[in-house]
Amino acid sequence: MAERKVVCYIAQSLDGYIADTEETLDWLLDVEMDGDAGYGEFINTVDTILLGRRTYDWVVDRVSEEFPYADQHSYVFTSHPKENESNITFTSEDPADVVKTLQQQEGGTIWPVGGSLLIESLLNEDLVDEFIISIAPVTLGKGIPLFQEAQRRLDFTLEKVEKDGQIAQLSYKRKRN
């Protein structure tokens, strides 16, 4: 059985923020793009979504009336779990423990959508296999950074650099011995 990959496909500002001080991505919607920065191709590989509770709330409140990841199984990490919905599991379990369990099962790509604390917990357990980072040409000055304080060094290899309108996209794979 091939181990499932954890791929962090995410956008950030030029100065490293994934959300502004109001915890929104409105700044990203103004960036000129020619395509979808590979999102369509990427999402077709994903069968499991990981979200922090604030990211989940933002997606539900601001993005669309329907949960956009209804075709994938989603885990929402929260200190106050509520009753599960069709393909959404609300849990207070440690994200790293959930990912380790998922990696023992058959399936596709595991995508930690956000936020940065969720990504940090996976990095601290060396569970992120790839980063696909789209960099928008805007500085926010403040906000939620992509990377919190790392507790360890992890090396990645640059695999690809692409341009989509004004977005620069960097693809990195975890360098493992």
Side-chain angles (χ1 to χ4, degrees):
M1 172 174 73
E3 190 169 293
R4 299 171 71 183
K5 293 188 304 182
V6 176
V7 180
C8 185
Y9 176 100
I10 198 161
Q12 72 171 33
S13 65
L14 190 58
D15 54 350
Y17 296 101
I18 59 173
D20 61 22
T21 55
E22 284 80 42
E23 300 182 0
T24 74
L25 302 175
D26 296 342
W27 52 273
L28 187 59
L29 303 176
D30 296 331
V31 177
E32 174 192 325
M33 294 177 61
D34 296 328
D36 68 355
Y39 175 80
E41 184 180 332
F42 171 73
I43 196 68
N44 286 333
T45 71
V46 174
D47 72 354
T48 305
I49 305 283
L50 309 177
L51 305 104
R53 181 61 185 254
R54 290 186 307 183
T55 301
Y56 169 80
D57 288 343
W58 188 86
V59 167
V60 169
D61 292 344
R62 302 255 178 99
V63 174
S64 74
E65 292 181 14
E66 287 186 33
F67 187 62
Y69 310 119
D71 293 339
Q72 292 87 6
H73 189 89
S74 297
Y75 290 85
V76 178
F77 297 93
T78 175
S79 55
H80 304 291
K82 63 179 197 173
E83 190 172 323
N84 295 339
E85 300 171 11
S86 59
N87 272 353
I88 304 172
T89 300
F90 295 89
T91 181
S92 59
E93 288 183 72
D94 179 66
D97 291 341
V98 171
V99 168
K100 289 173 187 174
T101 299
L102 290 169
Q103 287 179 323
Q104 300 306 311
Q105 303 168 1
E106 289 290 327
T109 299
I110 300 167
W111 179 25
V113 173
S116 64
L117 293 174
L118 170 64
I119 294 166
E120 175 189 22
S121 71
L122 299 180
L123 284 170
N124 286 335
E125 294 292 326
D126 194 10
L127 292 171
V128 177
D129 299 297
E130 296 179 30
F131 274 101
I132 302 170
I133 303 172
S134 296
I135 302 172
V138 60
T139 59
L140 299 177
K142 291 182 183 176
I144 299 173
L146 172 55
F147 297 105
Q148 301 289 326
E149 288 189 34
Q151 294 180 11
R152 66 191 307 182
R153 174 184 167 160
L154 300 173
D155 294 316
F156 289 81
T157 300
L158 180 63
E159 296 286 317
K160 190 169 29 172
V161 177
E162 296 189 90
K163 179 181 186 289
D164 185 341
Q166 292 299 303
I167 295 282
Q169 190 173 72
L170 309 172
S171 297
Y172 294 95
K173 286 195 177 165
R174 176 74 173 95
K175 189 188 264 186
R176 301 194 189 274
N177 295 332

